[in-house]
Amino acid sequence: MPRTRLYLVRHGEQDPATSRAPTGGLSALGRDQAERAGRRLAGVPFDAIHHSPLTRAAETAALIGAHLPSIPRHACDHVADRTPVPSPEARDDYPARWHAWLDETPPDERDEDAAALRAAVAHFGVVAGRDRHELLITHNFVIGWFVRHALDAPAWRWLGLNQENAALTIVEWTGDRPPMLVAFNDTGHLA
């Protein structure tokens, strides 16, 4: 039975001097983390590497991609940095303790009712006529959303599913079964 396996990697540590800047690149530690992730993933038969357009993710993808030289790599808006925030109608679906924090989400990161993240899951979480292995280099909240989806948890439950820089999470779809969380926040290659 064919399966789709998504390997989700959070970008390496961003240079503290450019923290939160979209053009900010990786720190020396972030480059080392990406190299280690690349060595860890070198034997996986990936179909493609999809990375967030932000510099820290693109640099992570380039360093990992050096260990996967024949695998096509491209920027992908489906894995851009997003924060799923509730619409006014869905606000009460989120715990009240998070409302003030969510209200301060920058406009360019807001994903109301996770519309874009739901589209990302629909795009990547499909089973084709053959096995697929896709590498997504992205951001903490995006990975949290995929994990929340795999666990069929409430919409707000991406909160607190924190991913270390360059850690590995794997979600798998097989046939008509619900998705399965294979690994979460695996940092064994970073030790």
Side-chain angles (χ1 to χ4, degrees):
M1 180 178 306
R3 68 180 178 180
T4 294
R5 193 170 257 201
L6 301 182
Y7 296 73
L8 299 118
V9 174
R10 185 179 180 193
H11 60 79
E13 179 189 74
Q14 187 173 356
D15 184 339
T18 60
S19 180
R20 302 279 305 159
T23 57
L26 297 176
S27 67
L29 174 59
R31 287 188 295 278
D32 181 63
Q33 291 167 333
E35 284 288 339
R36 289 171 182 257
R39 287 193 295 274
R40 166 87 181 269
L41 297 169
V44 179
F46 288 113
D47 292 286
I49 302 171
H50 314 271
H51 65 82
S52 163
L54 295 182
T55 303
R56 59 193 179 265
E59 286 182 5
T60 301
L63 290 164
I64 290 174
H67 297 273
L68 302 159
S70 63
I71 308 302
R73 179 177 73 236
H74 67 276
C76 177
D77 194 50
H78 282 298
V79 295
D81 196 8
R82 297 185 185 345
T83 303
V85 297
S87 63
E89 300 78 26
R91 188 171 176 87
D92 290 340
D93 294 344
Y94 275 63
R97 69 181 180 274
W98 295 107
H99 290 178
W101 181 79
L102 289 164
D103 290 344
E104 296 195 12
T105 302
D108 61 328
E109 291 179 21
R110 296 179 74 80
D111 182 12
E112 191 168 281
D113 292 335
L117 287 170
R118 291 176 196 278
V121 169
H123 176 78
F124 287 113
V126 295
V127 179
R130 61 177 182 78
D131 284 354
R132 286 181 36 237
H133 297 83
E134 306 286 341
L135 176 56
L136 284 58
I137 300 172
T138 186
H139 305 274
N140 189 48
F141 298 160
V142 175
I143 295 169
W145 184 265
F146 273 87
V147 171
R148 180 226 60 85
H149 175 81
L151 297 176
D152 198 23
W156 64 270
R157 195 54 192 98
W158 60 271
L159 288 159
L161 294 173
N162 296 319
Q163 188 84 358
E164 297 293 326
N165 292 108
L168 175 63
T169 290
I170 303 171
V171 180
E172 180 177 290
W173 282 259
T174 305
D176 58 357
R177 297 180 196 157
M180 176 176 61
L181 184 62
V182 176
F184 174 70
N185 199 32
D186 182 345
T187 58
H189 54 285
L190 301 174

